[in-house]
Amino acid sequence: MTALDLSSPVAVVGTGTMGQGIAQVALVAGHPVRLYDAVPGRARKAADAIGARLDRLVEKDRLTGAARDAARARLLPAEDLAELADCALVVEAVLERLDVKQELFRELEGIVADDCLLATNTSSLSVTAIGGALRVPGRFVGLHFFNPAPLLPLVEVVSGFATDVTHATRAYETARAWGKTPVACADTPGFIVNRIARPFYAEAFAVYEAQGADPATIDAVLRESGGFRMGAFELTDLIGQDVNESVTHSVWQAFFQDVRFTPSLAQRRLVESGRLGRKTGQGWYDHRDGAERPEPDTAEPRQPPAYVVAAGDLGPAAELLALIREAGIPVRDEDDDEDQGACLLLPGGGRLVLADGQTSAEFRDVVYFDLALDYREAARIALSASQDTAARTVAEATGLFQALGKKVSFIGDVPGMIVARTVARIIDLAHDAVAKGVATEEDIDTAMRLGVNYPLGPFEWSRRLGRSWAYALLDDLHRCDPSGRYAPSLALYRHAHAFDPREGTAS
């Protein structure tokens, strides 16, 4: 089934920020657009606001004057729902309440034709539950745009339990015809992005709650080592702590309070205090005029070690060996019969180990270092040690990474550290989602890159890090914290132990 013809009228019900954005997208694509809002006069104000944004597009040479005039002529505010009778698609963007949405669509069903596509922009409610109130639920879909809709390319096209595949396909193709990048998704709590993104926030908050590091340091590590556009604390301040917590709570409840999605108590207290982020002037950070941004914890300069000894396969951190040699520090190969595991041996006898889900306290004289998206490009590396780690080992580890041009942030002895545990959990939820038919690997990678600007999609991370990396880290984490939060999914277990044709064996 193809996209809606451009001559087909499209209606948007609800004229807040999202409703206006969706209407602008359909309008610029070439459709006649009807705007309706239950509050008298609000649809006309929304039409004026969209017109003003079209003017700005002309000023920026992103739209011609003729195209703007034609679009304005196609935009009509509606005083009554009955004026939407000839529309081929109605998109709802009203209050996130199931009863409100159900009542709206019941009323719409008595007005529009039976072949009119009905869509909800809900981000947290069940598409199946909203559509369950309809006489013809097969033509009901989710069209989840991301804010601001005219700028962000991703649209999650969500099929409810009763959605007919032909209508889902028409919605998908229509979104693509509007210049968007659609991804197909089954009706699951959080859909793709809000389901798989939960660990990005949750693990940062967990490290903070464990006194592992302060928000500024955690954010700096996520950005400068993990390659994420923003850290979890600054991003939730931008989104709004109340909004972000509400989505987390909704997903947690929808999954029957699954421990993997447990909300953060620290974030709850922040919301209760009214510190909601940028919109209130204070959140994790102070955004008021004149407030100074806290600096991440950064270690003082230390001397690099005279040499390092490479023991075992460093896996995702193997690139470090070339960087160390380029910095003029000799790298010797392990020649001792004792199995040291995969690590860098330091002159003082300590070991430098890539985060693996265990803690420094479990071993003698170990410093852990965090995962990086690209060790060559990373500007900062997080290290962790226990109170029993030798001072010389800490100094040598710090000096080594500083010699590579990296800032060093020491965090508490937190298993899995920051980037590693976050990426491992994102990979796990992504594999679980594919196994349960939520979406394809390709659509999940696309959704996470475009919807939340991740540097890599979960499966791109997984291929880069190795088939068993995420499983091994989470399995170790689960032993440290047997609550179930870090228990690897069956899908990740199968992936880690599956036959790998590149190796010729099961991994």
Side-chain angles (χ1 to χ4, degrees), residues 285-286 288-295:
Y285 298 104
D286 190 339
R288 294 172 295 183
D289 291 343
E292 291 187 10
R293 179 70 177 260
E295 293 294 324

Side-chain angles (χ1 to χ4, degrees), residues 8-319:
S8 302
V10 171
V12 177
V13 178
T15 58
T17 302
M18 282 304 302
Q20 290 183 34
I22 295 167
Q24 182 178 327
V25 170
L27 190 65
V28 171
H31 288 273
V33 174
R34 313 274 170 77
L35 282 173
Y36 175 79
D37 197 289
V39 178
R42 190 171 284 177
R44 186 163 297 280
K45 288 182 180 178
D48 292 340
I50 293 170
R53 283 198 288 275
L54 296 179
D55 289 339
R56 288 195 289 274
L57 291 178
V58 173
E59 292 169 4
K60 296 177 181 179
D61 292 325
R62 293 168 58 186
L63 193 69
T64 67
R68 173 199 57 197
D69 294 342
R72 277 182 161 170
R74 294 194 304 271
L75 180 60
L76 297 173
E79 300 289 336
D80 192 280
L81 275 180
E83 296 176 49
L84 312 185
D86 64 338
C87 289
L89 166 64
V90 180
V91 183
E92 162 272 315
V94 302
L95 188 66
E96 283 285 272
R97 272 181 45 187
L98 180 62
D99 58 337
V100 172
K101 293 179 188 290
Q102 287 179 328
E103 181 57 35
L104 169 65
F105 283 110
R106 285 194 197 97
E107 191 172 353
L108 279 169
E109 212 174 21
I111 295 169
V112 300
D114 282 356
D115 61 352
C116 173
L117 191 61
L118 298 178
T120 175
N121 183 58
T122 186
S123 61
S124 60
L125 298 176
S126 164
V127 171
T128 300
I130 300 171
L134 298 180
R135 176 175 48 83
V136 187
R139 42 90 171 264
F140 187 74
V141 299
L143 278 178
H144 182 217
F145 289 77
F146 288 74
N147 192 30
L151 297 180
L152 295 185
L154 185 69
V155 177
E156 292 177 319
V157 181
V158 185
S159 293
F161 187 79
T163 302
D164 190 293
V165 66
T166 58
H167 293 292
T169 302
R170 170 155 282 182
Y172 183 98
E173 294 300 333
T174 297
R176 184 156 63 179
W178 290 357
K180 296 301 181 182
T181 302
V183 291
C185 175
D187 184 22
T188 184
F191 309 141
I192 299 175
V193 172
N194 281 331
R195 172 179 179 150
I196 295 173
R198 291 350 295 162
F200 179 74
Y201 313 109
E203 294 313 307
F205 298 160
V207 172
Y208 169 76
E209 290 175 338
Q211 302 292 296
D214 60 272
T217 300
I218 296 169
D219 279 353
V221 171
L222 286 168
R223 288 194 314 269
E224 299 172 35
S225 184
F228 293 94
R229 185 75 60 87
M230 299 179 75
F233 296 90
E234 56 192 344
L235 180 55
T236 52
D237 265 3
L238 178 64
I239 294 169
Q241 297 302 331
D242 53 338
V243 174
N244 181 260
E245 193 214 23
S246 176
V247 172
T248 298
H249 195 271
S250 173
V251 171
W252 174 62
Q253 289 284 20
F255 276 114
F256 307 105
Q257 300 185 0
D258 186 330
V259 68
R260 295 176 302 166
F261 301 100
T262 301
S264 161
L265 181 59
Q267 188 180 38
R268 175 90 289 263
R269 293 292 179 258
L270 203 66
V271 172
E272 288 174 338
S273 72
R275 298 188 176 193
L276 306 182
R278 289 183 178 272
K279 61 187 176 183
T280 61
Q282 287 182 288
W284 295 112
Y285 298 104
D286 190 339
H287 301 281
R288 294 172 295 183
D289 291 343
E292 291 187 10
R293 179 70 177 260
E295 293 294 324
D297 178 77
T298 303
E300 294 295 322
R302 297 294 184 96
Q303 288 295 316
Y307 64 89
V308 297
V309 178
D313 181 4
L314 294 180
E319 184 184 21

